[in-house]
PDB file of all heavy atoms in Angstrom:
ATOM      1  N   ASN A 566       1.664   4.260 111.220  1.00 97.00           N
ATOM      2  CA  ASN A 566       2.027   4.244 112.626  1.00 97.00           C
ATOM      3  C   ASN A 566       3.083   5.301 112.968  1.00 97.00           C
ATOM      4  O   ASN A 566       3.937   5.114 113.840  1.00 97.00           O
ATOM      5  CB  ASN A 566       2.506   2.842 113.041  1.00 97.00           C
ATOM      6  CG  ASN A 566       2.476   2.690 114.552  1.00 97.00           C
ATOM      7  OD1 ASN A 566       1.692   3.367 115.226  1.00 97.00           O
ATOM      8  ND2 ASN A 566       3.354   1.844 115.092  1.00 97.00           N
ATOM      9  N   THR A 567       3.039   6.407 112.243  1.00 98.00           N
ATOM     10  CA  THR A 567       3.925   7.540 112.536  1.00 98.00           C
ATOM     11  C   THR A 567       3.202   8.450 113.508  1.00 98.00           C
ATOM     12  O   THR A 567       1.997   8.696 113.353  1.00 98.00           O
ATOM     13  CB  THR A 567       4.200   8.331 111.227  1.00 98.00           C
ATOM     14  OG1 THR A 567       4.794   7.437 110.301  1.00 98.00           O
ATOM     15  CG2 THR A 567       5.110   9.512 111.456  1.00 98.00           C
ATOM     16  N   LEU A 568       3.936   8.967 114.503  1.00 98.00           N
ATOM     17  CA  LEU A 568       3.308   9.916 115.420  1.00 98.00           C
ATOM     18  C   LEU A 568       3.021  11.194 114.640  1.00 98.00           C
ATOM     19  O   LEU A 568       3.927  11.802 114.074  1.00 98.00           O
ATOM     20  CB  LEU A 568       4.272  10.207 116.589  1.00 98.00           C
ATOM     21  CG  LEU A 568       3.787  11.204 117.637  1.00 98.00           C
ATOM     22  CD1 LEU A 568       2.591  10.650 118.408  1.00 98.00           C
ATOM     23  CD2 LEU A 568       4.920  11.556 118.597  1.00 98.00           C
ATOM     24  N   PRO A 582      14.602  12.457 111.804  1.00 98.00           N
ATOM     25  CA  PRO A 582      13.597  12.261 112.863  1.00 98.00           C
ATOM     26  C   PRO A 582      13.953  12.852 114.226  1.00 98.00           C
ATOM     27  O   PRO A 582      13.067  13.070 115.048  1.00 98.00           O
ATOM     28  CB  PRO A 582      13.480  10.731 112.958  1.00 98.00           C
ATOM     29  CG  PRO A 582      14.714  10.190 112.321  1.00 98.00           C
ATOM     30  CD  PRO A 582      15.146  11.194 111.301  1.00 98.00           C
ATOM     31  N   LYS A 583      15.268  13.117 114.463  1.00 97.00           N
ATOM     32  CA  LYS A 583      15.633  13.588 115.803  1.00 97.00           C
ATOM     33  C   LYS A 583      16.140  15.032 115.826  1.00 97.00           C
ATOM     34  O   LYS A 583      16.435  15.555 116.892  1.00 97.00           O
ATOM     35  CB  LYS A 583      16.740  12.694 116.376  1.00 97.00           C
ATOM     36  CG  LYS A 583      16.289  11.279 116.640  1.00 97.00           C
ATOM     37  CD  LYS A 583      17.274  10.544 117.509  1.00 97.00           C
ATOM     38  CE  LYS A 583      16.974   9.075 117.668  1.00 97.00           C
ATOM     39  NZ  LYS A 583      15.600   8.636 117.562  1.00 97.00           N
ATOM     40  N   GLU A 624       3.236   9.122 127.831  1.00 96.00           N
ATOM     41  CA  GLU A 624       4.178   8.004 127.740  1.00 96.00           C
ATOM     42  C   GLU A 624       5.599   8.421 128.121  1.00 96.00           C
ATOM     43  O   GLU A 624       6.275   7.733 128.872  1.00 96.00           O
ATOM     44  CB  GLU A 624       4.183   7.542 126.287  1.00 96.00           C
ATOM     45  CG  GLU A 624       4.225   6.048 126.068  1.00 96.00           C
ATOM     46  CD  GLU A 624       4.044   5.798 124.577  1.00 96.00           C
ATOM     47  OE1 GLU A 624       2.887   5.919 124.105  1.00 96.00           O
ATOM     48  OE2 GLU A 624       5.059   5.537 123.899  1.00 96.00           O
ATOM     49  N   VAL A 625       6.044   9.576 127.588  1.00 96.00           N
ATOM     50  CA  VAL A 625       7.472   9.901 127.788  1.00 96.00           C
ATOM     51  C   VAL A 625       7.728  11.165 128.584  1.00 96.00           C
ATOM     52  O   VAL A 625       8.876  11.443 128.919  1.00 96.00           O
ATOM     53  CB  VAL A 625       8.246   9.966 126.446  1.00 96.00           C
ATOM     54  CG1 VAL A 625       8.193   8.670 125.718  1.00 96.00           C
ATOM     55  CG2 VAL A 625       7.749  11.081 125.578  1.00 96.00           C
ATOM     56  N   PHE A 631       9.351  15.126 120.076  1.00 98.00           N
ATOM     57  CA  PHE A 631       9.267  13.662 120.041  1.00 98.00           C
ATOM     58  C   PHE A 631       9.715  13.147 118.684  1.00 98.00           C
ATOM     59  O   PHE A 631       9.368  13.738 117.648  1.00 98.00           O
ATOM     60  CB  PHE A 631       7.812  13.202 120.253  1.00 98.00           C
ATOM     61  CG  PHE A 631       7.203  13.711 121.529  1.00 98.00           C
ATOM     62  CD1 PHE A 631       6.591  14.965 121.569  1.00 98.00           C
ATOM     63  CD2 PHE A 631       7.263  12.959 122.696  1.00 98.00           C
ATOM     64  CE1 PHE A 631       6.042  15.450 122.744  1.00 98.00           C
ATOM     65  CE2 PHE A 631       6.705  13.437 123.880  1.00 98.00           C
ATOM     66  CZ  PHE A 631       6.098  14.683 123.902  1.00 98.00           C
ATOM     67  N   ASP A 632      10.426  12.020 118.685  1.00 98.00           N
ATOM     68  CA  ASP A 632      10.773  11.345 117.431  1.00 98.00           C
ATOM     69  C   ASP A 632       9.479  10.748 116.859  1.00 98.00           C
ATOM     70  O   ASP A 632       8.812   9.947 117.533  1.00 98.00           O
ATOM     71  CB  ASP A 632      11.804  10.244 117.744  1.00 98.00           C
ATOM     72  CG  ASP A 632      12.272   9.511 116.493  1.00 98.00           C
ATOM     73  OD1 ASP A 632      11.452   9.277 115.582  1.00 98.00           O
ATOM     74  OD2 ASP A 632      13.459   9.143 116.447  1.00 98.00           O
ATOM     75  N   PRO A 633       9.104  11.112 115.613  1.00 98.00           N
ATOM     76  CA  PRO A 633       7.828  10.622 115.081  1.00 98.00           C
ATOM     77  C   PRO A 633       7.836   9.137 114.770  1.00 98.00           C
ATOM     78  O   PRO A 633       6.777   8.518 114.655  1.00 98.00           O
ATOM     79  CB  PRO A 633       7.648  11.432 113.786  1.00 98.00           C
ATOM     80  CG  PRO A 633       9.017  11.874 113.401  1.00 98.00           C
ATOM     81  CD  PRO A 633       9.809  12.004 114.673  1.00 98.00           C
ATOM     82  N   LEU A 634       9.035   8.534 114.642  1.00 98.00           N
ATOM     83  CA  LEU A 634       9.097   7.112 114.283  1.00 98.00           C
ATOM     84  C   LEU A 634       9.174   6.227 115.525  1.00 98.00           C
ATOM     85  O   LEU A 634       8.519   5.185 115.592  1.00 98.00           O
ATOM     86  CB  LEU A 634      10.316   6.853 113.377  1.00 98.00           C
ATOM     87  CG  LEU A 634      10.379   7.724 112.095  1.00 98.00           C
ATOM     88  CD1 LEU A 634      11.606   7.389 111.265  1.00 98.00           C
ATOM     89  CD2 LEU A 634       9.104   7.556 111.266  1.00 98.00           C
ATOM     90  N   THR A 635       9.967   6.643 116.531  1.00 98.00           N
ATOM     91  CA  THR A 635      10.134   5.798 117.725  1.00 98.00           C
ATOM     92  C   THR A 635       9.335   6.310 118.927  1.00 98.00           C
ATOM     93  O   THR A 635       9.233   5.643 119.935  1.00 98.00           O
ATOM     94  CB  THR A 635      11.611   5.760 118.149  1.00 98.00           C
ATOM     95  OG1 THR A 635      11.988   7.103 118.527  1.00 98.00           O
ATOM     96  CG2 THR A 635      12.526   5.286 117.034  1.00 98.00           C
ATOM     97  N   ARG A 636       8.832   7.554 118.846  1.00 97.00           N
ATOM     98  CA  ARG A 636       8.114   8.239 119.933  1.00 97.00           C
ATOM     99  C   ARG A 636       9.019   8.609 121.107  1.00 97.00           C
ATOM    100  O   ARG A 636       8.532   9.013 122.175  1.00 97.00           O
ATOM    101  CB  ARG A 636       6.926   7.408 120.442  1.00 97.00           C
ATOM    102  CG  ARG A 636       5.774   7.363 119.448  1.00 97.00           C
ATOM    103  CD  ARG A 636       4.751   6.333 119.806  1.00 97.00           C
ATOM    104  NE  ARG A 636       3.464   6.549 119.171  1.00 97.00           N
ATOM    105  CZ  ARG A 636       3.220   6.416 117.859  1.00 97.00           C
ATOM    106  NH1 ARG A 636       4.203   6.112 117.026  1.00 97.00           N
ATOM    107  NH2 ARG A 636       2.016   6.613 117.380  1.00 97.00           N
ATOM    108  N   GLU A 637      10.311   8.472 120.925  1.00 97.00           N
ATOM    109  CA  GLU A 637      11.270   8.849 121.981  1.00 97.00           C
ATOM    110  C   GLU A 637      11.143  10.346 122.297  1.00 97.00           C
ATOM    111  O   GLU A 637      10.910  11.154 121.394  1.00 97.00           O
ATOM    112  CB  GLU A 637      12.657   8.543 121.411  1.00 97.00           C
ATOM    113  CG  GLU A 637      13.832   8.709 122.346  1.00 97.00           C
ATOM    114  CD  GLU A 637      15.157   8.583 121.552  1.00 97.00           C
ATOM    115  OE1 GLU A 637      15.150   8.050 120.424  1.00 97.00           O
ATOM    116  OE2 GLU A 637      16.174   9.039 122.070  1.00 97.00           O
ATOM    117  N   GLY A 638      11.305  10.715 123.567  1.00 97.00           N
ATOM    118  CA  GLY A 638      11.288  12.132 123.958  1.00 97.00           C
ATOM    119  C   GLY A 638      12.659  12.747 123.725  1.00 97.00           C
ATOM    120  O   GLY A 638      13.674  12.142 124.070  1.00 97.00           O
ATOM    121  N   LEU A 639      12.698  13.967 123.147  1.00 97.00           N
ATOM    122  CA  LEU A 639      13.976  14.562 122.724  1.00 97.00           C
ATOM    123  C   LEU A 639      14.108  16.004 123.216  1.00 97.00           C
ATOM    124  O   LEU A 639      13.134  16.624 123.630  1.00 97.00           O
ATOM    125  CB  LEU A 639      14.051  14.581 121.195  1.00 97.00           C
ATOM    126  CG  LEU A 639      13.843  13.252 120.449  1.00 97.00           C
ATOM    127  CD1 LEU A 639      13.664  13.523 118.959  1.00 97.00           C
ATOM    128  CD2 LEU A 639      15.017  12.313 120.671  1.00 97.00           C
TER     129      LEU A 639
END
Side-chain angles (χ1 to χ4, degrees):
N566 198 26
T567 301
L568 179 66
K583 294 194 187 332
E624 220 173 284
V625 300
F631 304 86
D632 182 323
L634 305 180
T635 64
R636 288 168 161 69
E637 186 189 342
L639 305 168

